[in-house]
Amino acid sequence: MRAILSFGIALVMVGGFGVAADGVAAAAELCVDMGPQAPRDIGSPQGLNEEAFPLAPVASEMNLCNIHTHTNAEHKGPGFGIFVSDEDDGGYACNETPSLSGAELAPVPGAYHGVAPGETLEVHWVHTSCDATPGEGLGACVPETCADPLLRVETQVFLVVNDPDALDFLTMAYGGNIVDGRHQAKTLPTTTGEPVLYRGSTTGPSYDQSNCSPARVTWSVRPQCAKLDIHSLHRWAEQGNAFNESHSHGVRQLVTAPELLAPMD
């Protein structure tokens, strides 16, 4: 539970609704003045928020500024539609989760925390139009010297498994990779379907439908899951990375109010 202030009335948020000081429940106000929000169901194109902003260029024409992960998927999609819970560690799981073998589920201790074999991971490769250096948090994407940056988040949902033959996260990491003068991930996933492109915002558990993010973000979300080897996440943390990431983050619950969603072409 968390206290907020709405129209001068102190409320305590309980399950998305505000309970006023006198005990009377009041529906939380939608923050319709903040522009389109994320995450969303990428299989549903409907939306009523038509606040437009320029779509960001393709990732190869921008600078990678941050990589981080969320447990479970913040988005809902064709390949990740199993609802986990409405808590900060809730979100959605990959559809293949119930079919994992015992070997794939075997625990693997290591340096990367907050995710285990059998769980779903949503990875965000954040890109900026700024002349920025990859670093910790989203602040690295918006340096003080850069006004009104365009932001783009390349997104892939993974099913984390104990299997060295699954995808290696280090092949999709940064590691100082520079292409044509721009900071870039070594590779981005290409085998999990055509990414769904939409206008949204930043995510994370500090936001909900009554406490929206003011950021403007172009999202590129791949519709299917892929299996990722847990050992490679541990190696990413053990070797150190430019983002100081060693722990997977919580999720922002799915945005469902049409007033907060941009229509998708």
Side-chain angles (χ1 to χ4, degrees):
M1 299 192 302
R2 58 186 175 81
I4 65 170
L5 193 64
S6 177
F7 299 106
I9 302 174
L11 304 177
V12 174
M13 293 305 296
V14 181
F17 290 88
V19 181
D22 60 2
V24 178
E29 294 289 332
L30 296 175
C31 40
V32 294
D33 59 339
M34 284 290 199
Q37 297 293 298
R40 67 181 296 163
D41 181 349
I42 61 170
S44 177
Q46 288 76 23
L48 298 177
N49 192 309
E50 296 188 351
E51 180 178 325
F53 55 86
L55 290 174
V58 296
S60 61
E61 297 177 2
M62 306 181 76
N63 276 308
L64 177 73
C65 53
N66 185 261
I67 300 175
H68 62 272
T69 76
H70 296 265
T71 307
N72 294 282
E74 294 194 292
H75 288 83
K76 180 183 179 184
F80 35 99
I82 300 177
F83 182 65
V84 177
S85 80
D86 58 3
E87 301 297 326
D88 287 353
D89 60 352
Y92 288 83
C94 293
N95 298 348
E96 299 172 84
T97 304
S99 64
L100 292 177
S101 69
E104 290 176 309
L105 293 170
V108 181
Y112 199 75
H113 306 288
V115 65
E119 293 184 320
T120 293
L121 196 72
E122 180 169 313
V123 179
H124 293 166
W125 291 264
V126 189
H127 297 76
T128 180
S129 59
C130 299
D131 183 14
T133 301
E136 185 173 354
L138 295 182
C141 303
V142 190
E144 293 182 0
T145 55
C146 182
D148 299 322
L150 297 177
L151 299 173
R152 181 186 184 101
V153 181
E154 293 291 333
T155 304
Q156 174 65 56
V157 177
F158 292 105
L159 183 53
V160 179
V161 293
N162 180 353
D163 182 0
D165 292 328
L167 292 176
D168 184 340
F169 189 69
L170 290 180
T171 66
M172 298 171 278
Y174 167 56
N177 187 44
I178 296 179
V179 180
D180 295 331
R182 301 183 182 93
H183 301 281
Q184 296 281 295
K186 294 178 182 178
T187 60
L188 289 173
T190 59
T191 62
T192 47
E194 184 70 23
V196 174
L197 203 68
Y198 76 92
R199 290 176 173 88
S201 67
T202 50
T203 61
S206 60
Y207 298 115
D208 56 31
Q209 295 194 144
S210 62
N211 180 32
C212 290
S213 165
R216 306 290 187 260
V217 177
T218 299
W219 283 88
S220 175
V221 185
R222 291 148 182 81
Q224 300 297 331
C225 287
K227 289 184 178 180
L228 182 71
D229 179 28
I230 184 70
H231 298 90
S232 65
L233 284 170
H234 291 325
R235 288 194 295 270
W236 188 53
E238 289 164 359
Q239 295 176 10
N241 54 76
F243 319 105
N244 197 28
E245 289 289 327
S246 61
H247 195 286
S248 191
H249 304 274
V251 302
R252 178 180 181 178
Q253 288 298 310
L254 203 69
V255 177
T256 57
E259 297 88 346
L260 302 182
L261 296 173
M264 295 194 301
D265 297 332

